[in-house]
């Protein structure tokens, strides 16, 4: 993912690496602990494997997600939130989720 070189505020940087339909949903799924690619595919309805892999790569690049490869056969790979940035972004996602819930309750959704 290409990052812009000029910004008017730091929020634009965070927006750049969370931009897209699936990234916040992927992060939300990882908040309960590490998951394999297959587990993420199963719990995120509507995402295809290509998009999931692409978004995970972006989140890894921005140090929000870790990718852990285990030795042996069959190959095992797990994705988890990074201790620093990944865990902190969950706080923001929880706030956004609560605002969404309030809106849904107010509008009978």
């Amino acid at each position: 993912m290409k990052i812009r070189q000029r910004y008017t505020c730091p929020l634009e940087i965070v927006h750049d690496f969370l931009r897209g339909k699936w990234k916040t949903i992927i992060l939300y799924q990882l908040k309960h602990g590490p998951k394999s690619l297959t587990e993420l595919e199963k719990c995120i309805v509507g995402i295809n494997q290509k998009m999931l892999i692409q978004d995970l790569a972006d989140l890894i690049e921005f140090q929000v997600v870790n990718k852990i490869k285990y030795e042996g056969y069959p190959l095992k790979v797990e994705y988890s939130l990074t201790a620093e940035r990944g865990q902190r972004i969950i706080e923001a996602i929880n706030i956004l989720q609560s605002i969404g819930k309030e809106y849904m309750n107010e509008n009978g959704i």
Side-chain angles (χ1 to χ4, degrees):
M1 168 175 250
K2 187 173 179 176
I3 297 292
R4 292 178 281 163
Q5 297 301 312
R6 298 184 62 177
Y7 294 93
T8 55
C9 80
L11 185 57
E12 290 177 89
I13 296 169
V14 176
H15 180 265
D16 277 0
F17 66 79
L18 291 181
R19 178 180 14 201
K21 180 177 181 178
W22 301 108
K23 289 179 184 162
T24 53
I25 297 167
I26 293 166
L27 293 172
Y28 185 79
Q29 292 299 325
L30 292 174
K31 86 176 197 173
H32 300 294
K35 290 194 182 339
S36 69
L37 189 67
T38 304
E39 290 173 316
L40 285 169
E41 276 185 283
K42 287 179 183 175
C43 57
I44 303 173
V45 176
I47 195 168
N48 63 46
Q49 190 177 68
K50 180 184 176 206
M51 185 55 66
L52 179 57
I53 291 169
Q54 182 180 330
D55 282 353
L56 284 166
D58 290 344
L59 293 167
I60 290 166
E61 179 183 348
F62 298 116
Q63 301 168 355
V64 179
V65 169
N66 286 320
K67 179 180 181 179
I68 303 163
K69 296 178 185 179
Y70 295 94
E71 296 293 323
Y73 184 82
L75 180 65
K76 182 178 179 183
V77 177
E78 283 187 338
Y79 298 91
S80 61
L81 296 172
T82 58
E84 189 66 25
R85 197 169 290 156
Q87 293 294 334
R88 288 184 56 218
I89 206 109
I90 289 299
E91 296 171 29
I93 290 172
N94 286 335
I95 292 168
L96 293 171
Q97 184 183 32
S98 69
I99 292 168
K101 285 179 183 178
E102 288 171 13
Y103 180 84
M104 290 173 76
N105 288 335
E106 291 168 4
N107 293 284
I109 300 172

